[in-house]
Amino acid sequence: MVDKESKGISIEMSEKEGFENNGFIQSEGVEGMEAEAVSQEALPKLCAVGMDLGPMQELTLRPYAGMPKEVLLQFSTQARYRVTREILFWLIIAASLVLLAATVAIIVMSPKCLGWWQASPIYQIYPRSFKDTNKDGNGDLKGIQEKLDYVQYLNIKTIWITSFYKSALQDFGYGIEDFQDIDPMFGTMKDFEILVAAIHDKGIKVIMDLIPNHTSDKHKWFQLSRNRTGKYTDYYIWHDCVQVNGRTIPPNNWSWVYEKGEDDDDDDDDDDDDDDDDDYWLSYALPVSIMGNSSWQYDDVRKQCYFHQFGKEQPDLNFRNQNVQEEIHDVIRFWLGKGIDGFSINTVKFLLEATHLRDEPQVNKSQNPDSITAYSELYHDYTTTQVGMHDIVRSFRHTMDKFMGTEANDHDIKRTMKYYGTSFIQEADFPFNLHLTNMQEISGNAIFETVALWMKNMPQGKWPNWAVGGPNIARVSSRVGKEYTNVINMLLLTLPGTPTTYYGEEIGMEDVTSETAAFPEKSPMQWDDGHHSGFTEGNSTWLPINPAYPNMNVQVQQSQSNSTLNLYRELSLLRNNELPIQRGWMCYIWNDSDVFVYVRELDGLDQVFMMILNFGQETTTDLQALVPELPSKVVTKLSTNSSNNGKDINTKSIKTGKGEGLILEYRTSKPVHKMETFTEKCFVAEKACYSSAFNLLYMYC
């Protein structure tokens, strides 16, 4: 009976595709037969001995976290996973390509960012007159460092420190005794290094003068050259001269450009005070008119004449000598190593002279050659702007590879524009533009003509510069009248390009009228109404201080809302913040004897700024008649009279008083530079367009 039951159970399990293992060792035949029966497909199936489980359901395996690679690979080959993966892959590739294309397009279409020398006015500091810290009456490098917060207060990002090289100071630092040293009057090299670090810490850039044309006759190069020592023999321009009865007969009629003061003679005074040097030199911008002003000076040591385009104490270097050129390149590298951000290169047009030594042609051909006494009576065809001069200047640029401005000082505008270089070869970032300083009389027409002269001759895509003062130029308030100071500052900071402000112009400083001041435009900075205007705590100053300083100083004007100083700050801030003024189009609207009117606008922006500047007498201007598309009402963004700021003005009748300036703001969909009437009256330096959708600038409008 037991055997039958066991047999029945065994048959039942066999029918249910199960197998029996009673723990006994089976024979090989049975073992082989059971191994065949127990296939891989049968393993997952379940059974229960003695239980009727009914029909079995097959289990479905799904993906789960932590699955082994073998299981993962089973799913990865399934269509629903493979297709999804491929779709995601190609979407990522497509998105990457689109992003790359967009990046390239933005780079290609984006206008060049403005350089630091374009983004801010340049503040020119004459160090001897800025701030004295050691009580000797002379400004110094530590004084500049002390006043860096004031520079920031003006919204200035670039300062230009004029010559501080070691020199005899008779020529105010332009006859250099050592190109790699600081004159002790201004401090030490350590002071300079600390100053540069402090300037950079405040986010400000600094440029300095480079004066390569000549040296002092006390320079070691000249001392070695006059003694014919080695390579220095031809560092300067030497030529045989004829001596007749103690009088030198020069090789030709070439004349020098400086004039000695009336009180000067060839004998040295016994006075050791540097104040005697104040009346020694006059600006080279003024033509000389003295007898015997030959540019050749006989040297008793070498028994030859050396050439000097400036004072006899300033012999010209021989730039046809490659060793001389390399010396100047070393000077550039030296100061770059000290942290300087750029250079203003002085007297560049004098670097080369003709080798043939022919007489320069007379302006008046019928004049007796022996009667020529003035520099202006000759055409300086052989001593200025010679072939090869621009190559030398470009080599300077290659070495410094930073900002470079050049002092052109050339009445020929075409020659001046050559300092920009070409479309293939960069020379100066811009030549410093002193044309506004040449105006002795001011009017709306005169301002327009001066501005237009530069803009219409400037090569396409170049950047202009404007200045109304400098160390050798009468201050603008004294030159044209203090009533025009504010409107000239408004002109300076709203024209396209980089404005250059000479220290003190931001408060309307005037030339000192003292009889003892031969250089009234260099009078000390007026900081406050205290002792010596806050310039020094010493007992004296190297030049007299303007007696108007108690009411014309920085401290007083900071507290006056309508002051020249606060207007300058607001103009500088407006220039920095508003794209149309920073880099937009300029279009001339109107000019007459009284007013000069122009607009600044940018492609893509409906915002327009219109400047109405009065350089004459009180007048009324009808802008609606000039530009019918103008809105009837505009807002006064900024005025030389701060009480007018924010007021609405009717464009049909705009009244301006003498020396008054208005910056009007309005919005329009019809910019002036796109009007046919004004096509020939519009200029743009760094063209850019604004996209309001993406809030970015692009180039191709």
Side-chain angles (χ1 to χ4, degrees), residues 636-700:
T636 305
K637 180 72 174 180
L638 204 57
S639 169
T640 51
N641 182 355
S642 63
S643 62
N644 292 327
N645 293 348
K647 290 183 178 180
D648 288 343
I649 291 184
N650 188 333
T651 55
K652 183 73 176 172
S653 178
I654 298 182
K655 185 177 180 180
T656 54
K658 182 178 182 179
E660 184 177 2
L662 298 173
I663 300 179
L664 309 178
E665 183 180 13
Y666 64 92
R667 296 188 178 275
T668 181
S669 59
K670 297 178 180 179
V672 174
H673 72 272
K674 291 186 177 180
M675 298 180 187
E676 241 181 85
T677 313
F678 295 95
T679 302
E680 301 298 321
K681 298 180 179 180
C682 295
F683 303 89
V684 66
E686 292 282 356
K687 188 174 182 179
C689 328
Y690 178 75
S691 169
S692 56
F694 297 100
N695 191 28
L696 55 78
L697 292 173
Y698 62 100
M699 190 163 49
Y700 302 105

Side-chain angles (χ1 to χ4, degrees), residues 61-76:
L61 186 62
R62 303 174 187 273
Y64 59 90
M67 70 181 79
K69 183 175 73 173
E70 293 80 5
V71 178
L72 178 64
L73 288 174
Q74 291 181 27
F75 292 103
S76 66

Side-chain angles (χ1 to χ4, degrees), residues 19-40:
F19 64 91
E20 179 183 14
N21 185 349
N22 293 326
F24 299 103
I25 298 175
Q26 299 178 359
S27 67
E28 290 183 6
V30 174
E31 182 178 356
M33 188 170 55
E34 287 182 353
E36 184 177 351
V38 182
S39 65
Q40 186 68 24

Side-chain angles (χ1 to χ4, degrees), residues 14 144 345 413 559 564 570 636:
S14 177
I144 297 174
I345 306 184
I413 191 68
S559 62
T564 298
E570 290 174 349
T636 305

Side-chain angles (χ1 to χ4, degrees), residues 23-301:
F24 299 103
I25 298 175
Q26 299 178 359
S27 67
E28 290 183 6
V30 174
E31 182 178 356
M33 188 170 55
E34 287 182 353
E36 184 177 351
V38 182
S39 65
Q40 186 68 24
E41 293 179 356
L43 288 176
K45 303 211 179 157
L46 303 176
C47 62
V49 177
M51 297 178 65
D52 186 4
L53 299 179
M56 296 295 294
Q57 294 183 352
E58 186 174 347
L59 296 178
T60 302
L61 186 62
R62 303 174 187 273
Y64 59 90
M67 70 181 79
K69 183 175 73 173
E70 293 80 5
V71 178
L72 178 64
L73 288 174
Q74 291 181 27
F75 292 103
S76 66
T77 57
Q78 294 179 13
R80 57 178 172 172
Y81 296 110
R82 187 182 70 252
V83 172
T84 302
R85 187 171 64 250
E86 289 179 356
I87 290 173
L88 290 174
F89 171 77
W90 289 112
L91 282 176
I92 292 171
I93 293 296
S96 299
L97 291 174
V98 169
L99 184 60
L100 178 62
T103 303
V104 171
I106 290 173
I107 293 172
V108 170
M109 295 188 66
S110 293
K112 184 178 70 173
C113 294
L114 294 183
W116 55 263
W117 49 273
Q118 297 171 301
S120 161
I122 296 175
Y123 191 69
Q124 186 180 20
I125 295 174
Y126 188 72
R128 194 176 181 184
S129 296
F130 198 61
K131 184 69 173 74
D132 170 33
T133 59
N134 62 0
K135 302 181 182 180
D136 68 350
N138 297 288
D140 45 49
L141 298 179
K142 288 183 177 179
I144 297 174
Q145 182 178 346
E146 185 179 300
K147 293 297 183 179
L148 289 180
D149 286 340
Y150 173 71
V151 174
Q152 285 190 310
Y153 173 79
L154 295 176
N155 301 310
I156 298 289
K157 300 297 183 184
T158 304
I159 61 174
W160 169 9
I161 307 176
T162 62
S163 179
F164 48 78
Y165 299 98
K166 183 178 181 181
S167 72
L169 291 176
Q170 284 186 330
D171 56 353
F172 296 93
Y174 289 87
I176 299 169
E177 294 180 11
D178 191 338
F179 281 105
Q180 298 183 9
D181 201 2
I182 306 288
D183 194 280
M185 172 183 290
F186 302 120
T188 65
M189 188 60 73
K190 185 66 175 177
D191 293 336
F192 178 78
E193 292 168 352
I194 293 173
L195 171 61
V196 171
I199 289 171
H200 289 161
D201 284 346
K202 291 187 176 293
I204 302 172
K205 301 292 185 180
V206 57
I207 64 176
M208 63 179 284
D209 282 342
L210 177 66
I211 310 163
N213 179 71
H214 51 269
T215 70
S216 166
D217 59 358
K218 295 181 175 62
H219 197 290
K220 65 179 181 180
W221 297 344
F222 185 78
Q223 296 303 317
L224 292 168
S225 184
R226 75 195 311 190
N227 286 288
R228 304 176 188 267
T229 304
K231 69 175 184 177
Y232 298 99
T233 301
D234 296 322
Y235 262 40
Y236 297 83
I237 301 164
W238 297 94
H239 201 275
D240 292 332
C241 294
V242 178
Q243 290 286 107
V244 178
N245 298 325
R247 181 170 175 264
T248 302
I249 307 299
N252 52 33
N253 71 345
W254 295 357
S255 60
W256 59 302
V257 272
Y258 270 168
E259 177 184 6
K260 293 199 298 183
E262 293 178 359
D263 296 332
D264 182 74
D265 53 39
D266 292 335
D267 297 325
D268 292 330
D269 294 330
D270 293 332
D271 192 349
D272 294 331
D273 195 311
D274 284 328
D275 290 348
D276 284 352
D277 299 332
D278 303 346
D279 58 357
Y280 190 83
W281 299 101
L282 297 180
S283 168
Y284 71 84
L286 303 175
V288 298
S289 180
I290 61 172
M291 293 295 293
N293 64 326
S294 172
S295 57
W296 296 96
Q297 179 68 30
Y298 184 75
D299 181 60
D300 286 328
V301 176

Side-chain angles (χ1 to χ4, degrees), residues 476-514:
V476 65
S477 296
S478 298
R479 194 170 68 247
V480 300
K482 59 184 179 182
E483 63 269 29
Y484 296 111
T485 300
N486 286 340
V487 73
I488 286 178
N489 279 338
M490 185 171 282
L491 171 77
L492 195 68
L493 273 74
T494 56
L495 286 173
T498 300
T500 300
T501 295
Y502 182 53
Y503 81 95
E505 287 176 354
E506 73 279 10
I507 61 172
M509 275 181 63
E510 302 172 271
D511 292 345
V512 65
T513 56
S514 172

